[in-house]
Amino acid sequence: MTKSEALFERACKVIPGGVNSPVRAFGSIGGTPRMIRKADGTHMTDEDGNTYLDFVNSWGPMILGHNHPVIREAVVKACEDGLSYGAATAREVEMAELICSFVPNVDMVRMVNSGTEAVMSAIRTARGYTGRDKIVKFMGCYHGHSDALLVQAGSGVMTAGVPDSAGVPRGCTRDTLSAVYNDVSSVERLFEAFPEEIAAVIVEPVGANMGVVPPAPGFLEALRKLCDRYGAVLIFDEVITGFRLGFTGAQGYFGVDADLVTYGKIIGAGMPVGAYGGKREIMQKVAPVGPVYQAGTLSGNPVAMAAGLAQLTLLKEHPEVYTELNEKGAWFYGEVKKLVEASGLDAQTTSCGSLGCIFFTATPVCNYETAKTSDTGLYAKYFNHMLSHGIYLAPSQFEAMFLSAAHTREELQGVLDVMQEFFRR
Ligand code: HOZ
């Protein structure tokens, strides 16, 4: 028995499913989760000493690779001054100034502890601002595990094939309306049915929790127009795209303005951080200035802020990171596409910048329904083939592959060779 297997056996006795987040359980791809001991640069090492070229990158935040020395030093230094104060600090002011200076339409920002918290708070703010209750979300988009948003959600919910979670009172999702990603008419119909009741439309500007599903040309622009016409708040959930597609996130990448934006782990370089921000007029509804209550002892935690500030400052000083990363993504996923096409397999490659994935289906993927046509059994075989060659992909069809600035072209060429071997079989 490997150390990972032994640890997982112990874990299953004391942690539900042996994991602290469902996708990690390897349930849909089989086998035992690798218990990770450490990570550095592009590699993770498990408790048995196996190393893996990592394409999960903590689900995105390790955009510069794992254990970056500048970020590590900032964290160690911050620890010397104490771990938490539950009081205001200079670092959180710097962090807010940095974000506001770069991101369009973010005049004010509030730090929280996770993407889930950020979205939950942004929704409350949009409701408080508009005085309306209903929200529109898209099937297959994942916005964390707060009650109102666990309706036909992506990510682990989709992997487990559970359209709606148990334990969510019906009343909590009564005001959650579901639309079809990339289908403007499905949103129009909802606005026509509830012209004065919709507080917000929340969207992953690039679907990245049903596999990677980029927005169709004009889709995000149409959401902007509909929100303007009906007086609703447009929320971009940039937990995955924020500071990944570029400093300005999906707003800048696609040239579409949002009213509120949510961020997650990337803001803290992997530490437990989230944030929501947006137009001043809306953010001033948040307590203590306004009536929308939201609070948290660990919000703006000094150590987490030090990590996030170090990462964002590095990115600010090296804006070429984004150009190179997006170019690397275009090259790599382009090569993947060629391999897939040459293999004659029924498969689709989707990508946006450094995010991408392969769906094993003949159907072009543009939303939740089409994503679900993917042969997840074949994904499991693909995942295990890659893992056996030391390549760590998301242990689920319905997640993204994350490239980092640390991945070299040589490493990526090696990945293409291993993929080719799989496609040839
Ligand atoms: N929901 C996360 C991916 N979109 C997975 C989180 C985790 O397992 O760490």
Side-chain angles (χ1 to χ4, degrees):
M1 190 185 265
T2 64
K3 284 189 186 165
S4 280
E5 285 166 346
L7 274 168
F8 189 56
E9 207 174 276
R10 277 170 58 197
C12 286
K13 292 186 186 134
V14 285
I15 305 174
V19 287
N20 282 314
S21 189
V23 171
R24 296 179 202 175
F26 276 35
S28 68
I29 43 91
T32 308
R34 302 303 188 264
M35 296 288 184
I36 303 302
R37 182 155 54 85
K38 61 177 186 177
D40 197 68
T42 53
H43 283 79
M44 294 200 298
T45 306
D46 70 13
E47 289 289 346
D48 294 286
N50 302 307
T51 57
Y52 305 95
L53 183 60
D54 180 26
F55 289 97
V56 173
N57 274 302
S58 192
W59 304 98
M62 301 309 170
I63 192 162
L64 298 170
H66 290 282
N67 200 16
H68 192 287
V70 173
I71 300 168
R72 186 178 62 234
E73 267 166 41
V75 168
V76 171
K77 201 160 172 290
C79 286
E80 286 167 5
D81 293 332
L83 302 185
S84 174
Y85 318 127
T89 67
R91 280 195 203 108
E92 63 190 5
V93 181
E94 276 175 51
M95 178 66 123
E97 285 172 348
L98 193 63
I99 295 172
C100 293
S101 70
F102 274 100
V103 187
N105 306 305
V106 174
D107 305 321
M108 303 186 100
V109 62
R110 171 62 69 80
M111 289 293 149
V112 290
N113 300 292
S114 68
T116 293
E117 228 188 287
V119 168
M120 189 178 78
S121 312
I123 295 282
R124 188 179 300 148
T125 305
R127 283 173 163 159
Y129 173 72
T130 56
R132 301 172 175 183
D133 288 344
K134 294 195 188 303
I135 54 167
V136 174
K137 81 171 282 291
F138 293 90
M139 292 177 228
C141 282
Y142 180 70
H143 304 289
H145 62 274
S146 67
D147 284 346
L149 291 155
L150 279 183
V151 179
Q152 291 178 303
S155 191
V157 190
M158 200 166 164
T159 306
V162 187
D164 303 299
S165 169
V168 174
R170 226 169 293 149
C172 287
T173 53
R174 198 190 43 212
D175 291 315
T176 305
L177 309 169
S178 295
V180 178
Y181 198 81
N182 277 331
D183 179 351
V184 177
S185 63
S186 71
V187 188
E188 279 168 348
R189 279 196 295 277
L190 292 174
F191 271 116
E192 280 157 19
F194 304 103
E196 288 176 10
E197 290 170 69
I198 296 174
V201 173
I202 181 160
V203 66
E204 281 186 80
V206 177
N209 283 286
M210 48 176 151
V212 173
V213 181
F219 175 60
L220 298 175
E221 289 85 344
L223 298 185
R224 177 67 276 167
K225 280 195 191 132
L226 283 170
C227 285
D228 286 344
R229 188 182 314 153
Y230 289 95
V233 172
L234 179 60
I235 307 175
F236 274 9
D237 180 340
E238 298 232 36
V239 166
I240 289 185
T241 48
F243 296 99
R244 171 157 285 273
L245 295 182
F247 243 108
T248 54
Q251 289 194 88
Y253 194 87
F254 296 107
V256 178
D257 292 345
D259 300 308
L260 288 178
V261 182
T262 59
Y263 296 109
K265 42 225 163 197
I266 200 162
I267 293 283
M271 299 282 277
V273 181
Y276 64 105
K279 296 187 174 149
R280 186 173 305 277
E281 191 191 347
I282 305 176
M283 288 303 287
Q284 276 185 328
K285 292 290 172 199
V286 177
V289 202
V292 175
Y293 196 72
Q294 179 269 312
T297 297
L298 296 172
S299 301
N301 172 272
V303 183
M305 290 298 98
L309 263 179
Q311 176 151 289
L312 294 186
T313 306
L314 272 171
L315 289 166
K316 182 182 161 186
E317 286 165 1
H318 298 282
E320 72 279 5
V321 165
Y322 287 119
T323 323
E324 287 167 15
L325 191 55
N326 289 337
E327 276 171 13
K328 198 158 60 181
W331 166 74
F332 176 70
Y333 296 118
E335 292 300 305
V336 175
K337 202 177 177 77
K338 282 188 210 158
L339 289 182
V340 165
E341 280 167 7
S343 73
L345 255 181
D346 284 338
Q348 315 288 326
T349 311
T350 55
S351 67
C352 183
S354 53
L355 300 165
C357 88
I358 302 175
F359 292 98
F360 294 98
T361 174
T363 311
V365 174
C366 60
N367 57 26
Y368 181 66
E369 285 307 321
T370 49
K372 280 196 303 183
T373 63
S374 187
D375 179 345
T376 50
L378 194 48
Y379 182 87
K381 288 195 179 115
Y382 163 67
F383 171 89
N384 283 300
H385 170 82
M386 301 303 279
L387 191 67
S388 69
H389 286 81
I391 297 163
Y392 191 90
L393 302 177
S396 160
Q397 166 70 80
F398 303 113
E399 303 286 351
M401 185 171 186
F402 295 91
L403 302 189
S404 84
H407 287 120
T408 63
R409 294 233 176 190
E410 292 67 39
E411 284 172 331
L412 296 178
Q413 185 55 56
V415 173
L416 291 169
D417 295 342
V418 178
M419 280 182 178
Q420 186 168 32
E421 206 180 289
F422 176 77
F423 295 142
R424 276 212 197 107
R425 294 191 324 179

